[in-house]
Amino acid sequence: MDQKPLRRIGILTSGGDAPGMNAAIRAAVRNCQQHKITPIGIRRGFSGLLHSDMEEMDARSVNGIMLRGGTVLNTARCAEFHDHAGILQAVRNYRYAGLDGIIAIGGDGTFRGLHELQKEGVRVMGIPATIDNDIGCSHYTIGFDTAANTAIEAVDKLADTMQSHERVSVVEIMGRGAGHLALYVGVAVGATSIIIPEREFDFERDIIEQIRMGRQRGKHHHLIIVAEGVGGCQAIADHIHEETGLEARVSILGYIQRGGNPTARDRVMASRMGHFAVEQLVAGSHDQIICYRDSRIVPVPIVEAMGMTKDLDMYMYKVAYDISI
Ligand code: F6P
């Protein structure tokens, strides 16, 4: 802890956007103002720090943004930040702008960037936001709930048309290398099979056998959810057709899952995390990731947080499997 008074705090969003990022920005900006700290919006993630693209914000500049998806500060994946010279330039700009800390909202790439800044003496706070929910230190990441609901709505619509034609739908769900989103969506839409990177899959056992059993029980539509980290949806669909004679159609939901108005859960979680990040800095704490663990918002030191992993809920996989009949 150190008690140096805070006058200006930089706020940025980095990496893939996630619904709820705006609610986190709004909460951080407004809590800064409560503490008489000037919030500085940094544009396009770390790129804005490297190129001194920053502007003062105030309570009114975040009016009406909570309900909007995306991020009003824009975001980017900044290649120059992988280079030490880039980090040093960012630190110079940070000092020149008179910043006393940085709050960055994003995923693990964002936290790696923060860690580099922290090593150069910058006071940092991270807020986990990614639709993938693949941040080890936090049981929840901002954007997951909205993305899940968007995907569920889309798959429900697909189910209408696929049912009419008695087809098999093979749907790819985002998630990078993790299956959290695919598994959650799969349970919520009543998938016949859920294929995720965390569990090796056997085509015959996990797909064909499931479809055959479903048909014997009178099912006319089969929904195969495939996580992005597994991919190969067209090959899976072709194979299903060869093995069963059923028509199989592929839908890749893609970026649609990253947009849309955040759900209540994402707005509330983001508001709590954004507020808490400022509270922590004001209390003299820094170099933490604001995490959601065991139903509480808690700080976890960034170095520790980066080494943490999160297992997929395999019991949820069993639930999905048992009730897919
Ligand atoms: O991390 C969020 C995510 O949408 C992943 O699900 C996906 O793999 C990736 O970002 C896509 O990233 P980009 O915006 O760089 O194409």
Side-chain angles (χ1 to χ4, degrees), residues 20-256:
M21 278 183 162
N22 281 330
I25 295 169
R26 173 179 176 270
V29 164
R30 291 198 168 164
N31 202 21
C32 275
Q33 295 237 292
Q34 288 289 359
H35 288 285
K36 313 252 179 300
I37 298 164
T38 307
I40 308 294
I42 302 170
R43 297 220 162 269
R44 295 182 204 90
F46 293 115
S47 163
L49 199 57
L50 257 164
H51 301 287
S52 287
D53 191 356
M54 317 178 195
E55 65 181 339
E56 276 191 29
M57 300 178 86
D58 61 28
R60 296 283 70 75
S61 59
V62 291
N63 260 1
I65 67 168
M66 173 136 72
L67 65 162
R68 287 167 51 196
T71 158
V72 293
L73 289 174
N74 299 112
T75 184
R77 301 192 197 271
C78 179
E80 292 152 283
F81 223 69
H82 294 297
D83 179 21
H84 195 59
I87 307 283
L88 294 181
Q89 183 56 46
V91 174
R92 276 194 291 276
N93 294 346
Y94 166 87
R95 299 229 163 89
Y96 186 73
L99 298 180
D100 301 308
I102 288 189
I103 297 174
I105 306 158
D108 54 5
T110 306
F111 301 156
R112 277 195 296 277
L114 282 185
H115 184 46
E116 292 305 316
L117 291 173
Q118 179 223 329
K119 288 196 254 174
E120 301 300 329
V122 173
R123 292 195 271 196
V124 301
M125 278 290 167
I127 297 180
T130 162
I131 65 164
D132 305 333
N133 202 18
D134 62 348
I135 304 296
C137 58
S138 187
H139 297 158
Y140 188 78
T141 61
I142 296 166
F144 177 78
D145 189 60
T146 309
N149 279 287
T150 301
I152 289 163
E153 199 184 329
V155 176
D156 287 348
K157 286 181 177 158
L158 277 174
D160 287 344
T161 169
M162 294 293 159
Q163 247 155 20
S164 309
H165 289 265
E166 300 179 71
R167 285 171 173 161
V168 179
S169 349
V170 180
V171 184
E172 186 183 287
I173 298 291
M174 268 190 169
R176 215 169 34 155
H180 300 282
L181 190 57
L183 178 57
Y184 198 75
V185 170
V187 172
V189 298
T192 305
S193 307
I194 305 171
I195 310 299
I196 46 176
E198 291 84 350
R199 185 181 179 277
E200 212 178 305
F201 90 100
D202 179 285
F203 189 79
E204 181 61 32
R205 178 196 64 201
D206 296 326
I207 299 182
I208 299 304
E209 197 48 35
Q210 287 287 96
I211 293 176
R212 283 205 189 106
M213 276 175 4
R215 286 175 88 184
Q216 278 162 17
R217 293 184 175 113
K219 263 194 174 184
H220 295 296
H221 165 236
H222 311 273
L223 190 50
I224 315 298
I225 296 290
V226 181
E228 175 191 18
V230 176
C233 286
Q234 192 55 55
I236 291 176
D238 293 345
H239 221 61
I240 290 171
H241 179 62
E242 281 159 27
E243 293 289 318
T244 65
L246 295 170
E247 276 187 84
R249 294 283 193 270
V250 172
S251 302
I252 296 179
L253 297 191
Y255 292 94
I256 196 168

Side-chain angles (χ1 to χ4, degrees), residues 268-291:
V268 172
M269 193 65 79
S271 299
R272 290 174 65 190
M273 287 179 164
H275 179 274
F276 192 74
V278 175
E279 289 298 301
Q280 287 290 301
L281 284 167
V282 169
S285 162
H286 47 86
D287 311 335
Q288 313 277 338
I289 305 296
I290 307 303
C291 299

